[in-house]
């Protein structure tokens, strides 16, 4: 199975995922990134922190950007 990497991006820095996770397809990787972003957004709201600009970049094994998932897009108010 292909390996995908979830880099966490903020306004100040990017935290690189050096291990990655295997998924059957890029669609599965993006779905998992969206779930993770929802959890991260909920935690930020509980801590009364802003989520502006924070997101998860999903990259494939070759370093190609597959998707960018913004935490702010996961919030429904």
């Amino acid at each position: 199975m292909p390996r995908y990497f979830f880099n966490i991006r903020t306004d100040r820095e990017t935290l690189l995922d050096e291990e990655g996770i295997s998924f059957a397809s890029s669609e599965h990787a993006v779905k998992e990134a969206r779930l993770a972003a929802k959890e991260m957004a909920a935690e930020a709201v509980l801590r009364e922190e802003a989520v502006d600009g924070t997101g998860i970049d999903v990259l494939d094994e070759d370093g190609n950007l597959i998707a960018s998932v913004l935490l702010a897009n996961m919030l429904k108010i």
Side-chain angles (χ1 to χ4, degrees):
M1 280 196 286
R3 198 165 208 54
Y4 296 89
F5 300 85
F6 293 2
N7 294 339
I8 309 299
R9 182 180 27 82
T10 70
D11 289 335
R12 296 179 305 256
E13 65 182 333
T14 299
L15 303 173
L16 299 178
D17 174 3
E18 296 181 10
E19 293 182 28
I21 304 171
S22 295
F23 291 99
S25 68
S26 60
E27 290 82 12
H28 285 103
V30 172
K31 183 177 179 180
E32 186 64 29
R34 290 180 56 82
L35 289 172
K38 287 178 184 180
E39 290 175 12
M40 290 171 63
E43 290 171 7
V45 167
L46 291 173
R47 289 189 311 266
E48 297 182 7
E49 296 176 355
V51 295
D52 297 344
T54 302
I56 300 174
D57 290 337
V58 181
L59 291 87
D60 66 12
E61 294 174 316
D62 296 322
N64 298 311
L65 181 65
I66 302 299
S68 289
V69 181
L70 294 175
L71 271 62
N73 291 346
M74 300 296 103
L75 298 174
K76 294 186 181 184
I77 301 174

